[in-house]
Amino acid sequence: MKDWLNNKNKKTTTKRSTKKGAQAKSGLKSGKQTQQAKQLTKPSVNRWRFQFVISFLVLVFSSVIGRAAYLQIIQPEKLILEGDKRTVRVKESSVQRGMITDRNGVELAVSVPVQTIWADPKRVLEYPEFETDVRWKALAKVLQMEEHELLARITNNQDKRFIYLKRKTNPVVADYVQQLRIPGVRLREESKRYYPAGEITAHVVGFTNIDGKGIEGVELRHNDWMVGTPGKRKIIKDAKGREIEVIEEEQGSEPQNIALTIDQRIQSAVYQELKKAVQTYEAASGSAIVVDIETAEVLAMVNSPSFNPNNRMNVSMHRFRNRAITDTFEPGSTMKPISVLNALEYGSFGTLDLVDTSPGYMRIGGRRISDPRNRGMLSLADVLKYSSNMGSTKLALSTPKESFLGLFYKMGLVDSSGVDLVGESTGLFNDRRRWSDSEIASLSFGYGISVTAAQLARMYTTIGAGGLSRPLSIIKTDIEKPSERIVAEDVAYNVLEMMESVISEEGSGKNAMVKGYRVAGKTGTSQKATAGGYGHDYVNTFAGIGPVSDPKIAVVVVLNDPKGDYYYGGETAAPTFGKIMRQTLRILNVAPDAIGDKKIQLADIRRKNDDVN
């Protein structure tokens, strides 16, 4: 039994051994097959990867070569442009605006260097502590802004590389901002216009805007002349910003300075007197002009109220207006010398003839024309002396209407005065074919026509120059201005002598007397026109010439709507004229002439002009 069991176990063991051996042989055979399979598969995978890499590299290099060929052969300009953006720079030289000076070289407008504060929003926002940096609070305070407004200006322009924070600030603020060293905030040098004379010459010189462009007065009229063009240099810079080559260079044009005919000494004196008059007589405004009779150059042109061109904050727009050339008014009795000139020139009256003004009034075309009282027979000088409406009307109607009306044109009363400033008015004058006697009468004593102070100054300059008319000028130049003979020289000087009687103890312009000098002139008081006729507001005017023996200057003073106790030209404009005339003659160092025989002196002046002509 045991033997049988042993044999059975042996057989079982033998079977198991045989089975394991078979399995081992089979596993060995399978492993060999797998290893052989792997050995066969590995070279094919590596070959595929290699081919992929090679193909990718070929594709990349082909793209690069193709792009390079495209840029260099098909679109080389773009490549050059991109290169120039990184290396080529254009530099412009800074050009200051030209100066404005008076006739003696005194500076009236200059450009001074200032700093402008600007920021690069993109650079500022790259700073991690942008909104918490206390330096922004200090910057906002010095710029007189709220901190949140300043930060909002930066964040709202984050796509920009340049924005202004404060234009043309003072040096103290600029130094403070520079010391703050805020990332992205920089300074830029600019120029600012400065006017040393301030409000005294504001209306003549004008002013510029923040970009340096003239917008009023001489600054506007001659802007292109004073600007010039900056020079340009096209250069190449290296990576460190160093200049290595100049490609091309373009020369700019230098700005030109302008000299005015204004004499700052006279301008200042006239402005002070006019300002006092406007305040004293409670006038709405006033204008005054002083003209050199020999050259027709404007020595002074002022208005009140004025403004400070260096600080125009909260200034009303009406203050910017140069009233001497823009505002028109009916000149009143200052037109009466034209009636006398026309009658003498035409020959309807002589210097010794008398005008019958009795009974002191008359009706023409249903309109009453009158004097304050019946003065009876008046000489031509007395017509001016007493400012007779009756006398001027009869003188005007004594000649053909064409002759009388033509003298208004010849005197420049319906054209520009010649000062050549932007905004100048040419006045109002009805250019009609038919004129009634009533209209001619109104015109003879300064109604029915509106003129500017500059036009009136030109008329009196013509009379002072012996009937020789020239356009007024305000820019100093060597070019001789055209002149035209309007009336005979002896006629002009006869009327000048007649106007001297106006400024006498009995004349309407006695308050315009200048001690030591012979002065001639004429008062004017006109009511301001309204929609329904004429109201209760007045324009007071005085125009005159001095000295009579050797006419040097013509002066016109206009006071608009005085509201004090005095509202006649002889009471307001006349004394202002006298003060201006006195100071101007002294500044020009004109010798007194109110001594000796007047007739001899008048003969001297005529002989002098005969020698010149």
Side-chain angles (χ1 to χ4, degrees), residues 189-217:
E189 185 173 316
E190 290 187 310
S191 63
K192 182 179 180 180
R193 206 63 166 166
Y194 176 66
Y195 304 95
E199 62 183 21
I200 295 174
T201 58
H203 291 106
V204 175
V205 175
F207 52 87
T208 62
N209 60 15
I210 196 168
D211 293 317
K213 182 179 180 180
I215 54 177
E216 285 291 344

Side-chain angles (χ1 to χ4, degrees), residues 251-498:
Q251 295 293 334
S253 61
E254 290 295 325
Q256 302 296 317
N257 298 329
I258 288 182
L260 303 183
T261 61
I262 298 295
D263 189 319
Q264 177 59 17
R265 301 169 301 170
I266 300 175
Q267 180 85 3
S268 180
V270 174
Y271 178 75
Q272 291 176 11
E273 293 298 337
L274 181 68
K275 187 175 182 179
K276 289 178 185 177
V278 170
Q279 294 174 350
T280 300
Y281 304 114
E282 302 177 20
S285 62
S287 301
I289 299 181
V290 179
V291 182
D292 185 323
I293 288 178
E294 184 178 354
T295 62
E297 294 176 343
V298 178
L299 301 179
M301 179 185 288
V302 300
N303 300 278
S304 182
S306 186
F307 64 97
N308 182 2
N310 299 304
N311 183 10
R312 303 188 298 275
M313 296 292 293
N314 302 321
V315 177
S316 301
M317 291 298 294
H318 73 273
R319 286 177 172 258
F320 295 154
R321 192 167 71 246
N322 186 352
R323 298 175 183 273
I325 64 171
T326 62
D327 289 13
T328 61
F329 57 93
E330 290 182 301
S333 296
T334 56
M335 288 291 103
K336 288 176 180 175
I338 288 188
S339 299
V340 180
L341 281 169
N342 178 60
L344 291 174
E345 182 75 6
Y346 186 78
S348 59
F349 278 82
T351 56
L352 301 179
D353 292 339
L354 300 178
V355 182
D356 185 5
T357 64
S358 298
Y361 65 89
M362 63 178 174
R363 287 192 173 274
I364 301 179
R367 180 182 178 187
R368 179 186 171 92
I369 297 171
S370 62
D371 288 336
R373 65 185 179 89
N374 181 12
R375 296 190 180 275
M377 302 297 290
L378 294 177
S379 67
L380 300 187
D382 287 339
V383 170
L384 299 176
K385 180 178 179 179
Y386 299 115
S387 194
S388 172
N389 291 342
M390 287 286 293
S392 63
T393 298
K394 290 195 172 183
L395 289 172
L397 294 175
S398 68
T399 67
K401 296 175 183 178
E402 294 75 14
S403 174
F404 178 65
L405 296 172
L407 197 53
F408 283 82
Y409 287 91
K410 293 177 182 178
M411 284 291 183
L413 295 173
V414 294
D415 198 359
S416 64
S417 65
V419 294
D420 193 25
L421 291 178
V422 177
E424 182 179 6
S425 173
T426 57
L428 296 174
F429 187 75
N430 291 323
D431 188 8
R432 61 183 69 176
R433 292 183 178 181
R434 295 183 179 181
W435 286 79
S436 67
D437 290 346
S438 175
E439 291 169 332
I440 293 296
S442 297
L443 202 59
S444 72
F445 45 82
Y447 282 88
I449 181 175
S450 292
V451 299
T452 64
Q455 288 176 308
L456 191 59
R458 180 179 180 181
M459 167 188 160
Y460 276 76
T461 300
T462 299
I463 296 174
L468 202 61
S469 177
R470 299 184 184 88
L472 303 185
S473 61
I474 206 165
I475 302 298
K476 193 70 176 174
T477 177
D478 295 331
I479 301 175
E480 186 176 354
K481 291 175 291 187
S483 59
E484 180 184 1
R485 171 67 59 187
I486 301 301
V487 294
E489 185 177 17
D490 60 337
V491 171
Y493 283 125
N494 283 330
V495 174
L496 179 63
E497 188 177 21
M498 293 175 188

Side-chain angles (χ1 to χ4, degrees), residues 188-247:
R188 176 183 181 182
E189 185 173 316
E190 290 187 310
S191 63
K192 182 179 180 180
R193 206 63 166 166
Y194 176 66
Y195 304 95
E199 62 183 21
I200 295 174
T201 58
H203 291 106
V204 175
V205 175
F207 52 87
T208 62
N209 60 15
I210 196 168
D211 293 317
K213 182 179 180 180
I215 54 177
E216 285 291 344
V218 175
E219 292 276 33
L220 170 60
R221 180 64 184 86
H222 300 282
N223 180 73
D224 296 339
W225 181 261
M226 289 184 287
V227 169
T229 55
K232 295 182 180 180
R233 296 174 69 244
K234 194 173 185 180
I235 61 174
I236 296 178
K237 287 188 174 183
D238 61 10
K240 295 182 178 180
R242 295 173 298 190
E243 182 179 323
I244 59 177
E245 183 182 352
V246 178
I247 300 177

Side-chain angles (χ1 to χ4, degrees), residues 29-316:
K29 184 176 181 180
S30 176
K32 288 181 180 180
Q33 291 176 351
T34 302
Q35 186 175 5
Q36 290 176 356
K38 287 182 178 180
Q39 289 176 354
L40 292 173
T41 304
K42 186 175 182 181
S44 64
V45 172
N46 290 340
R47 189 178 302 111
W48 180 83
R49 289 178 178 175
F50 178 76
Q51 290 175 350
F52 175 77
V53 170
I54 292 299
S55 299
F56 178 76
L57 292 176
V58 170
L59 180 62
V60 169
F61 280 108
S62 298
S63 300
V64 171
I65 294 172
R67 180 62 176 171
Y70 176 78
L71 292 175
Q72 293 187 18
I73 298 174
I74 300 177
Q75 273 193 340
E77 295 82 5
K78 184 176 181 180
L79 184 63
I80 296 172
L81 180 62
E82 292 296 328
D84 290 345
K85 287 181 180 180
R86 292 158 176 78
T87 59
V88 178
R89 297 290 183 269
V90 177
K91 283 188 173 182
E92 289 189 355
S93 59
S94 59
V95 178
Q96 298 286 357
R97 189 178 178 89
M99 291 193 304
I100 299 177
T101 65
D102 79 338
R103 64 189 302 114
N104 300 314
V106 177
E107 296 174 351
L108 302 179
V110 296
S111 294
V112 295
V114 292
Q115 296 290 338
T116 285
I117 305 169
W118 64 279
D120 180 351
K122 188 174 182 180
R123 174 72 179 87
V124 170
L125 295 174
E126 291 175 354
Y127 184 59
E129 300 177 358
F130 161 61
E131 295 184 350
T132 59
D133 195 333
V134 296
R135 290 178 292 181
W136 284 99
K137 184 175 182 180
L139 178 61
K141 185 176 181 180
V142 76
L143 296 182
Q144 299 179 348
M145 299 173 60
E146 294 294 334
E147 184 179 3
H148 66 88
E149 293 179 359
L150 180 59
L151 297 179
R153 184 179 295 185
I154 298 295
T155 55
N156 293 338
N157 295 279
Q158 55 185 338
D159 296 333
K160 297 182 179 180
R161 300 304 304 268
F162 181 95
I163 61 170
Y164 287 114
L165 297 182
K166 184 72 173 181
R167 294 289 302 273
K168 302 182 179 181
T169 186
N170 62 67
V172 177
V173 173
D175 291 342
Y176 182 78
V177 172
Q178 190 171 21
Q179 292 175 10
L180 289 177
R181 297 182 180 277
I182 302 176
V185 178
R186 299 287 184 268
L187 297 178
R188 176 183 181 182
E189 185 173 316
E190 290 187 310
S191 63
K192 182 179 180 180
R193 206 63 166 166
Y194 176 66
Y195 304 95
E199 62 183 21
I200 295 174
T201 58
H203 291 106
V204 175
V205 175
F207 52 87
T208 62
N209 60 15
I210 196 168
D211 293 317
K213 182 179 180 180
I215 54 177
E216 285 291 344
V218 175
E219 292 276 33
L220 170 60
R221 180 64 184 86
H222 300 282
N223 180 73
D224 296 339
W225 181 261
M226 289 184 287
V227 169
T229 55
K232 295 182 180 180
R233 296 174 69 244
K234 194 173 185 180
I235 61 174
I236 296 178
K237 287 188 174 183
D238 61 10
K240 295 182 178 180
R242 295 173 298 190
E243 182 179 323
I244 59 177
E245 183 182 352
V246 178
I247 300 177
E248 61 183 48
E249 188 169 359
E250 180 181 339
Q251 295 293 334
S253 61
E254 290 295 325
Q256 302 296 317
N257 298 329
I258 288 182
L260 303 183
T261 61
I262 298 295
D263 189 319
Q264 177 59 17
R265 301 169 301 170
I266 300 175
Q267 180 85 3
S268 180
V270 174
Y271 178 75
Q272 291 176 11
E273 293 298 337
L274 181 68
K275 187 175 182 179
K276 289 178 185 177
V278 170
Q279 294 174 350
T280 300
Y281 304 114
E282 302 177 20
S285 62
S287 301
I289 299 181
V290 179
V291 182
D292 185 323
I293 288 178
E294 184 178 354
T295 62
E297 294 176 343
V298 178
L299 301 179
M301 179 185 288
V302 300
N303 300 278
S304 182
S306 186
F307 64 97
N308 182 2
N310 299 304
N311 183 10
R312 303 188 298 275
M313 296 292 293
N314 302 321
V315 177
S316 301

